Amino acid sequence: MAFKVKPWYKKYESQVKTDYAYHHTKHVVKQQTERKSSSKLESTVQTQATEGMAEAAYNIPVFRQRTAEETEEYQRVATNVGKGLAVIQEELHRMRMATKAQVDSLAIQREVQDMMPKRLDLLDEFPRMPDFLVALRPHTVWEKTPVKLFCTVQGNPRPIVKWYKEGVPVDPLSAPGKYKIENKYGVHSLIISRCVVSDTAEYSAVATNQHGTTTSSATVTVKRPAGAGESCHLGLVPHLTEIHPSKLEVSLLDRFSVTFGVEGSSISLVCTMVVVPNLPNVPPLAQWYRDDKLLKPSKLVEMSVSGSAARLTLPYLAKDDEGLYTLRIFTKDGTAEHSAYLFVSDAAPSAAGAPGAPMSVKAYDINSDYVLVAWKPPNTVNEAPITGYFVDRCEVGSDSWIQCNDAPVKVCKYPVHGLSLGRSYHFRVRAVNSAGISRASRKSDKVTAIDAAESERLQGKEEGVPSAPGHVVATRNTKSSVFVQWEPPKNPKNLMGYYIDGRVVGSKEWFACNHKPFKHTRFVVHGLIPGETYVFRVQAANVFGLSEESQESSPIAVEPALATPSAPYGIAMLSSDGSSITLAWKSPKHCGGSKVNAYYIDKRDADTLVWKEVNLTGVTERVCTVGDLKEGTFYEFMVQAANLAGVGLPSAPSAPMKCEAWTMEEPGPAYDLSFSEVRSHSLVILWKAPVYTGASAVTGYFVDMAKKGSSEFVTLNQEAVRHRYLQVADLEEGETYVFRVRAVNANGIGKPSQLSDPVCAKALPGTSEIVAGVDEETGDVFLSLEACEICETSKFVWSKNYKPIGDCPRVAVTAKGRTSRLTFTNPDKDDLGKYSVVVTDTDGVSSSYTLTEDALNTMLELSYAIRHPIVPLKHALNYEILEKGHVRFWLQAVKLSPSVSYRFIVNDKEVTSGEGHKISHDVATGIIQMTVDHFTRANEGTYTVQINDGKAKTQSSLVLVGDVFKAALKEAEFQRKEHIRKQGPHFSEYLYFTVTEDCTVMLTCKVANVKKETTLHWYKEEDEIVPETPPSVMSGACAIPIPLFSRKDQGIFKAVLGDDRGKDTSVLDISGQVFDDIINAIAKIAGASASDLVLQCTPEGIRLQCYMNYYTEEMKTVWKHKESKIASSEKMRIGGTAEMAWMQICDPSDKEKGHYSIEISDGVKTHVRTFDLSGQAYTDAYEEYLRLKAAAFAEKNRGRVVGGLPDVVTIMEEKSLSLTCTVWGEPTPEVTWFKNEQEVASTEHTRVTFDGGKFASLVINKVTPEDSGKYSINVRNKYGGEFVEITVSVYRHGEQIPEPKLGHPKTATPAVTPVPPKSPAPPAKTPTPAPSKPQTPFMKSPTPVSTPASTPVPKSPTPPRSVKSPTPPRFMKSPTPPRK
């Protein structure tokens, strides 16, 4: 659009004059500015043109050769000539531009003269001297506060206003930041910031034009508070040294935004900046303010400033910290400021529903014994109302808090009594409601109980809460905030401030917008969801609590305030035919809250300053062909966007574009590069096809990428893509990139497009993806997106394979709020592809979804199920056998309604509830069942259940025939018999076995329904077993033990339970697997109790023994030597007793050395015990074996009495006594007889014989009483011998026969010479006694007592019997002589 003043025909005359004069002045100034910039641009273009027209470097032909001197002289002359030509060209250019400027000036004057007659009806031709419509007025202000003097002046031509202080011109540069002079819309103002006493003076505004001068004056008086020092202002404007912080140039960069914090956390507000010069020791002078109150460093406020950033840290956030924070930095040109609001929300309450903490605890009316504590109430939104407050105190230096009031106080002030004079205290407050007690407030400043001047009491004359605030109005502010304002309450009653609450339309939950009372009647609510609709309400607060809520505001959507759009940018040339140029540009970054509905293009010759309108009617597309151009001329273009609010700012002028016909064979540049689906590591780039295609059609595109600030582009696709989009992956999160596109045709690669806007690889906060689903009510297949951001002008643009869908009969697009849905009308394979959606007028909200065949089929199945509903079943039709042999047929649905109907069909016949059948259902569980009381062979067949529940239907069948039916029938009959059996005494648990810790097998059963008369009998193989303890059936369990269980215990065991009501039998066949299970159970306990292997030596060899609770050969035991299994043989004998298992090495040798082990397996676990028979252990064992072997040999061959002698002989005198026995020994032993320990010699009366080395006899002829005594025989050889005693008693005829000892014969038989046996029987081998469980792994065997051959045999006395070797059992006695 050309900058021409359009007439306003319906305005007042004075306003027309003023507006015209103002716009005319602005137009002239703008032309001068553009002329300067154009001059610079033309100078740059001319320089480039000069460089382009410079003659190419001369190449020396091969046939011409110069010497070194000639070459040097040639270069020197060429350089001088080149400089001279450059000077001449520059002078020619300057003269040409000067002439052009004069021509332009004449053209402008002529244009102005042509325009003036058109406005004669609007302008007043009479000149007017300056006149103050609004004059200056005097001001009286306090020190450190600003003051603003302003006036309005008119005149023709427009007057120039200058400011004076006491007649001296005011120069803003003389005191940076002190004065600020403004002229806006005809209002002239002088602003004096932070006044000091020296600013008291008379200030004048002098307005001047060519027709005269007029003056307006006013006095400014600056007052100082009582007691303030004279130099109090020096702290604000310090004495400037040579380099002072206020002399630095400071530019703010990244500024802190609206911030949200939580009580108890820490937060920092940071503002980065650039300081020139950056002196480490002289940082900028920065001040922080909260709600216009200067902050000072403390434990709760930490400040730091450097040459790169200013930081404010609040380490312990409380709601007292909420407010508007301002950073003010003093600069060379004044001050640089930035402000943003900090919101502090309540921390999590100690109890659910408890109120938030009070705030702003302060002490008033301080006296020697009491202090009045006051505070501000917390905001309550959804919590229960506050019923009171508790006040706590704490002495300074102590951490112990003491509650001051026993009952909660209902107002926000409380007098604390009982303080100690001169001591300092802190105070805090806790709020109470029906749910609990809040967290404590921040403690107050230190207060000392001491008499002081009477402070202003915090007590109003009126009592009670204020009335509710008035009308609440919410207006649009930004895309995430709303401006709320309201009328103050009619009865404020010492108002402390206001609480603002918000609520999303459609929700019942209110949320707090601020957490600290706000003093003004307007507030900006931040942190709202873009596009969402809210309502607001306000409450007033004073010391007595909160007022009633105000009426709710009207609903308002969170949208930016309506404004004109920002300037378009990125004007690019797409094509030219010599008389026209096709342009494209990018849409404004900010649409101004309304859709951009038109674009206006201006053009100008690159050599002129005058812009001309291209289109009077706005174009809606961002491509336009500008015609009526001169071929060979350079043009510049400018674009403006328009919306409902008006026409926005113009774009920056484009680069000069030459109007000449494009004849190149390659295609022109692609344009309108945009991005979609920007994520942390990927994005999609889209573009439009070139307008100029070249000599042939475009066949594809190449996409180049580079990091922002880099000129090194990387081609992303190795082969040209035919479509106009590309998925870019493998991006660095947080990195910024730029892209360009090159089109390709058969003749080559064309010009690259204009660079895209920089794009950061980072997803928008709250980004969501497209969701594919099926509508639960209609069964429609749809794609849906819920946008994380939206505005009033936003639209959802759906595409398939990145081509806009538009009005397509295959899909329907709907939008509601922030959600858009694309519904398929009749989905099939033609709908497969990649779908994407872009939300316009946002920061790039977009997403995509690839609809695959598998996903579509899944959704179609679900759609069919919804459109043709069935009753979903948890369990299909099944059956179970109940007690008494009843059979229950049942199924379970996921859900049933009370109106459900169903039918049972058996073998194509419907069955109803009646005799023999019971049919029922349960809506709560979804179970439908039928019970058949008597299940017989007639019930074989097919069972079906048909269900109707509203529109939904289903059917389930069960085929019960063949083997399946036979199994069911058998089970039903069994359950029927079981029911009958359980009517009398019966086994609740049949016979089973257990094994005790001592390896006794217990056969156990459990009985039920018994009485005292009930009996239990045990049988094995039909033979009754009578246990020692009769079974007690009333205890409910009976058992019979089987000790020392082995293979002999195999058989069928039976328990019979009975009484007059009947009997029941339980049988356990202990054989096969049952026998193996019992043996394994025994092995498990025995193996766990097994001791370590013990070494036992015997005359036959070395024996390894393992003691355990019980051992039987049926147990799975394996002996191993060096990991090789040992088989029982003559060399290696394996055996055991009930207490141990042993393995004996007969006649051991060195081959038998090594590691031995026994493995006891219980079928699950193997118990292993080991012994290392090597080294010293083997040596000691072998020596012991040799000793025992020798001792056994000696015992075997020693002399001994084999048999024939009695212990006691009683004989009557005159009888003959013959004591005869058989002896044995190798070699033949010697035999000696003794009487009363005296050797008996052979005489006529006493005859001693020893026949054949085997039969020894002592015969006493005609015994007399003197022959009574103790007789003995000593049989001995070199290996030892035996000593046997016989007691002989002789009695006279007629005397009573002496009573012999128990077990001895009473009388002696007559002497009869016995027939000796043919050969004596050799003594049996002496078995090795089984010792008890040893404590040590090695035990010596007992050595038989024998007398060595070298020891002389004593004749007298006879050694006692106790030292004799064991006497073998006698099988022959001497005959007793008959009585006479």
Side-chain angles (χ1 to χ4, degrees):
M1 294 175 63
F3 288 91
K4 300 177 182 179
V5 179
K6 297 182 178 180
W8 293 356
Y9 297 106
K10 298 183 179 181
K11 296 292 182 180
Y12 293 104
E13 180 183 356
S14 60
Q15 180 141 5
V16 171
K17 294 177 181 179
T18 304
D19 290 341
Y20 174 73
Y22 170 67
H23 285 290
H24 179 71
T25 303
K26 181 179 178 182
H27 181 67
V28 173
V29 172
K30 186 171 183 179
Q31 281 184 334
Q32 293 176 350
T33 305
E34 290 175 346
R35 185 176 292 112
K36 292 179 181 179
S37 63
S38 177
S39 177
K40 293 180 182 179
L41 180 61
E42 287 178 353
S43 175
T44 304
V45 174
Q46 184 63 32
T47 303
Q48 295 175 352
T50 302
E51 293 174 357
M53 290 186 296
E55 186 175 348
Y58 180 76
N59 295 325
I60 302 176
V62 178
F63 58 86
R64 278 185 65 182
Q65 300 292 337
R66 292 192 180 97
T67 63
E69 292 79 4
E70 289 176 342
T71 302
E72 182 179 358
E73 180 64 20
Y74 175 83
Q75 291 177 350
R76 184 183 63 79
V77 173
T79 301
N80 292 335
V81 172
K83 290 181 180 179
L85 288 174
V87 171
I88 294 172
Q89 288 177 350
E90 184 176 355
E91 183 63 19
L92 288 173
H93 176 68
R94 187 187 62 77
M95 294 174 62
R96 187 172 68 84
M97 294 304 296
T99 304
K100 185 176 182 301
Q102 292 179 0
V103 172
D104 290 340
S105 179
L106 293 174
I108 290 172
Q109 292 178 7
R110 187 178 300 109
E111 183 177 359
V112 171
Q113 291 175 359
D114 293 339
M115 293 171 60
M116 292 299 292
K118 300 178 182 179
R119 294 173 173 81
L120 290 178
D121 54 339
L122 302 174
L123 301 178
D124 186 358
E125 295 292 341
F126 297 102
R128 298 181 60 180
M129 66 178 294
D131 181 23
F132 285 95
L133 299 178
V134 178
L136 297 177
R137 63 182 183 86
H139 289 75
T140 301
V141 297
W142 290 105
E143 193 178 23
K144 299 182 182 180
T145 59
V147 65
K148 181 177 182 180
L149 303 176
F150 62 89
C151 60
T152 303
V153 65
Q154 68 175 359
N156 189 20
R158 184 182 293 270
I160 297 174
V161 177
K162 293 185 177 181
W163 292 89
Y164 295 86
K165 174 185 177 183
E166 298 291 355
V168 179
V170 175
D171 185 7
L173 300 179
S174 63
K178 181 67 175 177
Y179 302 105
K180 187 175 182 180
I181 298 175
E182 294 181 346
N183 177 14
K184 293 182 179 179
Y185 312 112
V187 178
H188 300 264
S189 59
L190 170 65
I191 302 173
I192 307 172
S193 62
R194 304 184 70 81
C195 294
V196 297
V197 175
S198 59
D199 290 324
T200 301
E202 183 181 54
Y203 291 83
S204 303
V206 179
T208 306
N209 66 4
Q210 62 187 12
H211 301 293
T213 301
T214 184
T215 303
S216 177
S217 301
T219 301
V220 174
T221 303
V222 181
K223 291 187 176 183
R224 175 177 298 155
E230 187 66 30
S231 60
C232 64
H233 66 282
L234 297 180
L236 299 175
V237 186
H239 176 68
L240 300 180
T241 58
E242 184 177 0
I243 298 179
H244 191 272
S246 63
K247 291 187 177 181
L248 303 175
E249 294 182 2
V250 182
S251 299
L252 300 182
L253 300 179
D254 296 329
R255 313 179 184 208
F256 57 91
S257 60
V258 175
T259 310
F260 299 87
V262 181
E263 275 186 305
S265 63
S266 174
I267 205 164
S268 295
L269 305 179
V270 183
C271 191
T272 59
M273 53 190 168
V274 175
V275 181
V276 180
N278 188 5
L279 304 176
N281 297 327
V282 187
L285 180 59
Q287 294 178 342
W288 289 89
Y289 295 85
R290 181 197 296 135
D291 296 332
D292 295 331
K293 292 184 180 179
L294 181 65
L295 298 178
K296 296 181 180 180
S298 65
K299 292 182 179 180
L300 302 177
V301 179
E302 300 173 0
M303 303 179 187
S304 64
V305 63
S306 64
S308 60
R311 180 186 299 270
L312 173 71
T313 301
L314 304 173
Y316 310 103
L317 271 183
K319 290 187 291 186
D320 307 69
D321 297 320
E322 183 170 292
L324 182 67
Y325 283 79
T326 301
L327 170 63
R328 179 174 294 146
I329 298 180
F330 290 88
T331 68
K332 182 178 180 180
D333 299 327
T335 58
E337 296 183 1
H338 173 66
S339 300
Y341 209 88
L342 169 63
F343 294 88
V344 181
S345 60
D346 289 305
S350 55
M359 68 208 79
S360 301
V361 180
K362 294 182 180 179
Y364 299 86
D365 198 11
I366 303 170
N367 287 273
S368 59
D369 60 345
Y370 84 94
V371 167
L372 181 64
V373 179
W375 58 91
K376 294 180 180 180
N379 188 12
T380 55
V381 182
N382 300 309
E383 301 84 1
I386 294 175
T387 57
Y389 302 90
F390 284 116
V391 181
D392 305 330
R393 75 169 185 265
C394 172
E395 285 195 30
V396 174
S398 171
D399 294 332
S400 177
W401 288 91
I402 301 173
Q403 185 171 304
C404 300
N405 52 325
D406 296 331
V409 60
K410 295 185 178 181
V411 296
C412 296
K413 58 183 177 179
Y414 179 74
V416 179
H417 295 271
L419 305 181
S420 300
L421 181 64
R423 293 191 180 181
S424 299
Y425 298 89
H426 293 292
F427 298 93
R428 70 180 188 186
V429 182
R430 293 170 294 152
V432 184
N433 68 0
S434 58
I437 302 176
S438 74
R439 301 171 73 251
S441 67
R442 174 180 284 177
K443 67 181 181 181
S444 67
D445 294 335
K446 181 176 69 174
V447 177
T448 303
I450 190 170
D451 286 329
E454 186 73 15
S455 302
E456 181 181 357
R457 291 177 176 267
L458 187 66
Q459 295 183 3
K461 295 181 180 180
E462 300 178 0
E463 294 185 354
V465 297
S467 59
H471 185 54
V472 180
V473 178
T475 55
R476 291 164 57 170
N477 188 48
T478 68
K479 67 178 182 180
S480 61
S481 64
V482 168
F483 182 74
V484 181
Q485 53 187 348
W486 58 91
E487 297 177 357
K490 296 180 180 179
N491 300 315
K493 298 182 179 180
N494 295 317
L495 193 67
M496 287 182 176
Y498 300 92
Y499 283 120
I500 301 94
D501 303 331
R503 175 175 62 84
V504 177
V505 172
S507 171
K508 296 181 180 179
E509 295 293 326
W510 289 89
F511 61 88
C513 300
N514 63 318
H515 302 85
K516 177 182 177 182
F518 189 71
K519 295 182 178 180
H520 304 288
T521 58
R522 57 191 183 281
F523 187 78
V524 178
V525 181
H526 290 273
L528 304 179
I529 301 174
E532 195 62 82
T533 303
Y534 295 85
V535 294
F536 299 91
R537 70 183 184 190
V538 183
Q539 281 181 287
N542 67 0
V543 295
F544 294 98
L546 302 178
S547 71
E548 296 291 331
E549 293 92 350
S550 68
Q551 293 184 352
E552 296 179 7
S553 68
S554 300
I556 183 171
V558 182
E559 304 288 350
L562 194 62
T564 57
S566 59
Y569 64 102
I571 302 175
M573 181 178 179
L574 303 182
S575 177
S576 176
D577 59 4
S579 61
S580 65
I581 293 177
T582 302
L583 303 174
W585 58 89
K586 296 180 181 180
S587 57
K589 294 184 178 180
H590 304 287
C591 65
S594 176
K595 179 183 178 182
V596 175
N597 52 23
Y599 292 96
Y600 296 94
I601 301 95
D602 293 347
K603 68 176 182 180
R604 72 177 179 186
D605 191 329
D607 294 333
T608 66
L609 299 177
V610 180
W611 291 94
K612 296 182 179 180
E613 295 177 344
V614 172
N615 59 318
L616 296 177
T617 304
V619 295
T620 57
E621 300 296 330
R622 288 183 288 109
V623 178
C624 180
T625 300
V626 181
D628 297 331
L629 303 181
K630 296 179 181 179
E631 187 172 4
T633 304
F634 284 89
Y635 290 92
E636 292 179 357
F637 300 92
M638 187 168 59
V639 183
Q640 291 174 278
N643 63 4
L644 292 176
V647 180
L649 297 174
S651 67
S654 68
M657 301 177 184
K658 187 176 182 181
C659 181
E660 62 179 357
W662 284 9
T663 58
M664 54 194 175
E665 296 182 347
E666 297 82 6
Y671 68 100
D672 199 15
L673 275 64
S674 61
F675 301 99
S676 177
E677 306 158 39
V678 179
R679 301 296 184 264
S680 300
H681 301 285
S682 64
L683 57 81
V684 175
I685 181 172
L686 304 98
W687 61 89
K688 292 184 179 178
V691 173
Y692 179 81
T693 59
S696 60
V698 175
T699 58
Y701 302 89
F702 286 105
V703 180
D704 303 331
M705 178 185 74
K707 291 185 178 181
K708 182 181 178 182
S710 173
S711 59
E712 298 179 0
F713 280 87
V714 178
T715 301
L716 298 177
N717 51 320
Q718 300 300 322
E719 297 182 0
V721 294
R722 299 184 63 84
H723 45 73
R724 295 193 298 276
Y725 64 90
L726 183 69
Q727 176 85 31
V728 182
D730 300 327
L731 301 179
E732 298 179 20
E733 184 174 3
E735 188 63 65
T736 303
Y737 300 88
V738 293
F739 296 83
R740 68 185 185 189
V741 178
R742 294 172 293 154
V744 182
N745 64 6
N747 301 95
I749 301 175
K751 294 181 178 181
S753 68
Q754 193 179 49
L755 287 183
S756 69
D757 292 336
V759 58
C760 180
K762 183 178 180 182
L764 291 173
T767 295
S768 58
E769 303 296 343
I770 292 177
V771 177
V774 180
D775 192 285
E776 295 182 355
E777 295 182 358
T778 63
D780 292 334
V781 178
F782 66 86
L783 302 178
S784 175
L785 175 71
E786 183 178 2
C788 62
E789 176 186 338
I790 199 172
C791 67
E792 188 177 1
T793 60
S794 295
K795 290 186 177 180
F796 292 87
V797 180
W798 287 86
S799 302
K800 181 180 179 182
N801 298 328
Y802 296 101
K803 295 180 180 179
I805 293 177
D807 295 331
C808 177
R810 300 190 64 85
V811 296
V813 178
T814 57
K816 183 178 181 181
R818 295 189 294 128
T819 303
S820 177
R821 175 181 288 192
L822 182 141
T823 305
F824 297 93
T825 54
N826 189 18
D828 55 27
K829 292 184 178 180
D830 293 338
D831 294 309
L832 300 180
K834 189 169 187 178
Y835 291 84
S836 60
V837 60
V838 175
V839 186
T840 62
D841 296 335
T842 62
D843 290 337
V845 178
S846 55
S847 181
S848 66
Y849 180 86
T850 301
L851 184 61
T852 62
E853 185 174 357
D854 291 341
L856 180 61
N857 291 336
T858 301
M859 289 188 289
L860 287 176
E861 291 177 1
L862 181 58
S863 174
Y864 181 85
I866 293 174
R867 292 176 177 176
H868 304 85
I870 62 172
V871 178
L873 299 179
K874 282 186 179 180
H875 300 284
L877 186 61
N878 208 335
Y879 77 94
E880 64 175 333
I881 310 300
L882 306 178
E883 292 183 353
K884 302 182 182 180
H886 297 174
V887 180
R888 172 177 173 254
F889 295 88
W890 65 278
L891 60 78
Q892 185 177 15
V894 175
K895 184 179 180 182
L896 291 178
S897 70
S899 60
V900 65
S901 63
Y902 53 89
R903 297 193 308 161
F904 273 93
I905 299 174
V906 180
N907 294 331
D908 298 329
K909 293 182 180 180
E910 182 177 357
V911 177
T912 59
S913 184
E915 184 177 356
H917 299 82
K918 296 179 182 178
I919 300 175
S920 62
H921 74 281
D922 185 0
V923 174
T925 60
I927 293 177
I928 300 175
Q929 62 184 4
M930 177 182 69
T931 303
V932 179
D933 292 342
H934 191 63
F935 194 71
T936 64
R937 295 184 179 275
N939 296 108
E940 183 176 9
T942 302
Y943 293 75
T944 303
V945 179
Q946 296 177 348
I947 305 174
N948 291 321
D949 194 357
K951 297 181 180 179
K953 300 179 181 179
T954 193
Q955 176 175 302
S956 181
S957 297
L958 174 66
V959 178
L960 204 59
V961 296
D963 293 340
V964 178
F965 172 77
K966 292 178 181 179
L969 181 61
K970 183 178 180 181
E971 177 68 16
E973 291 176 349
F974 171 78
Q975 291 295 338
R976 192 179 303 114
K977 292 178 181 179
E978 278 290 289
H979 174 70
I980 296 173
R981 180 180 70 87
K982 292 179 180 179
Q983 300 306 306
H986 62 274
F987 292 97
S988 59
E989 289 187 22
Y990 287 108
L991 278 177
Y992 62 94
F993 73 87
T994 58
V995 179
T996 63
E997 285 298 321
D998 61 353
C999 295
T1000 299
V1001 177
M1002 303 292 294
L1003 298 185
T1004 308
C1005 60
K1006 292 184 180 180
V1007 297
N1009 197 14
V1010 295
K1011 58 184 180 178
K1012 292 181 180 180
E1013 293 77 10
T1014 305
T1015 60
L1016 177 67
H1017 298 276
W1018 297 95
Y1019 296 90
K1020 178 184 179 184
E1021 302 292 352
E1022 302 302 330
D1023 296 331
E1024 185 174 359
I1025 304 173
V1026 180
E1028 294 180 0
T1029 303
S1032 175
V1033 295
M1034 297 304 295
S1035 65
C1038 300
I1040 186 171
I1042 306 178
L1044 303 178
F1045 183 86
S1046 63
R1047 193 173 299 279
K1048 63 181 176 60
D1049 295 307
Q1050 292 187 104
I1052 298 176
F1053 287 81
K1054 181 169 62 173
V1056 178
L1057 182 71
D1059 58 20
D1060 57 353
R1061 297 170 295 171
K1063 70 176 184 178
D1064 195 11
T1065 303
S1066 178
V1067 177
L1068 180 62
D1069 184 1
I1070 299 181
S1071 62
Q1073 186 61 44
V1074 176
F1075 179 81
D1076 293 341
D1077 292 343
I1078 295 176
I1079 292 297
N1080 287 336
I1082 294 173
K1084 181 178 181 181
I1085 298 174
S1089 67
S1091 67
D1092 292 332
L1093 288 179
V1094 177
L1095 183 67
Q1096 179 73 45
C1097 293
T1098 67
E1100 290 79 15
I1102 298 174
R1103 178 179 292 182
L1104 295 178
Q1105 302 175 162
C1106 180
Y1107 291 90
M1108 59 192 72
N1109 287 359
Y1110 176 68
Y1111 172 76
T1112 178
E1113 63 180 6
E1114 287 80 13
M1115 290 168 53
K1116 299 175 183 177
T1117 55
V1118 176
W1119 288 89
K1120 289 186 177 181
H1121 176 219
K1122 298 179 181 179
E1123 303 301 327
S1124 297
K1125 184 178 179 180
I1126 299 174
S1128 183
S1129 63
E1130 289 296 325
K1131 183 70 174 177
M1132 297 285 192
R1133 297 178 183 175
I1134 297 175
T1137 66
E1139 295 182 351
M1140 71 174 178
W1142 56 261
M1143 187 276 299
Q1144 181 165 292
I1145 307 170
C1146 298
D1147 192 16
S1149 63
D1150 289 346
K1151 292 182 179 180
E1152 282 72 48
K1153 290 183 180 180
H1155 186 84
Y1156 288 84
S1157 64
I1158 182 173
E1159 297 180 355
I1160 306 170
S1161 175
D1162 59 12
V1164 177
K1165 183 179 179 181
T1166 301
H1167 307 269
V1168 181
R1169 302 293 184 268
T1170 62
F1171 189 89
D1172 189 6
L1173 186 60
S1174 61
Q1176 189 62 38
Y1178 177 81
T1179 301
D1180 294 344
Y1182 189 74
E1183 291 177 356
E1184 178 67 10
Y1185 153 70
L1186 294 178
R1187 186 185 69 80
L1188 293 178
K1189 182 178 180 181
F1193 184 80
E1195 175 67 20
K1196 176 181 177 182
N1197 294 286
R1198 68 177 174 84
R1200 69 188 68 189
V1201 178
V1202 177
L1205 290 178
D1207 291 332
V1208 177
V1209 177
T1210 304
I1211 189 170
M1212 188 171 65
E1213 63 180 351
E1214 297 299 328
K1215 299 289 185 180
S1216 293
L1217 174 64
S1218 176
L1219 299 177
T1220 303
C1221 65
T1222 304
V1223 299
W1224 188 86
E1226 185 64 37
T1228 302
E1230 296 179 358
V1231 178
T1232 305
W1233 291 89
F1234 294 90
K1235 177 186 177 183
N1236 295 331
E1237 300 181 359
Q1238 297 296 323
E1239 184 176 353
V1240 177
S1242 180
T1243 62
E1244 287 296 330
H1245 180 70
T1246 304
R1247 184 162 47 93
V1248 177
T1249 61
F1250 183 48
D1251 296 332
K1254 294 182 180 180
F1255 305 105
S1257 300
L1258 172 64
V1259 179
I1260 304 174
N1261 297 315
K1262 298 181 179 181
V1263 297
T1264 63
E1266 289 76 10
D1267 291 325
S1268 297
K1270 181 185 292 186
Y1271 289 82
S1272 59
I1273 182 172
N1274 189 5
V1275 182
R1276 186 170 299 277
N1277 63 8
K1278 66 178 181 179
Y1279 293 112
E1282 185 178 13
F1283 191 85
V1284 179
E1285 294 180 343
I1286 309 100
T1287 302
V1288 177
S1289 298
V1290 180
Y1291 64 93
R1292 291 183 177 86
H1293 183 74
E1295 292 181 358
Q1296 186 178 355
I1297 299 175
E1299 187 71 25
K1301 293 182 180 180
L1302 183 65
H1304 295 165
K1306 295 181 179 181
T1307 58
T1309 59
V1312 178
T1313 303
V1315 179
K1318 293 182 179 181
S1319 62
K1325 292 182 180 180
T1326 303
T1328 303
S1332 60
K1333 198 169 184 178
Q1335 299 296 323
T1336 60
F1338 180 79
M1339 178 182 291
K1340 290 188 177 181
S1341 301
T1343 304
V1345 177
S1346 61
T1347 304
S1350 60
T1351 305
V1353 178
K1355 301 296 183 177
S1356 178
T1358 302
R1361 276 183 187 265
S1362 59
V1363 298
K1364 293 180 182 178
S1365 298
T1367 302
R1370 299 187 177 121
F1371 56 87
M1372 182 184 294
K1373 290 187 177 180
S1374 299
T1376 303
R1379 291 183 181 179
K1380 291 182 180 181

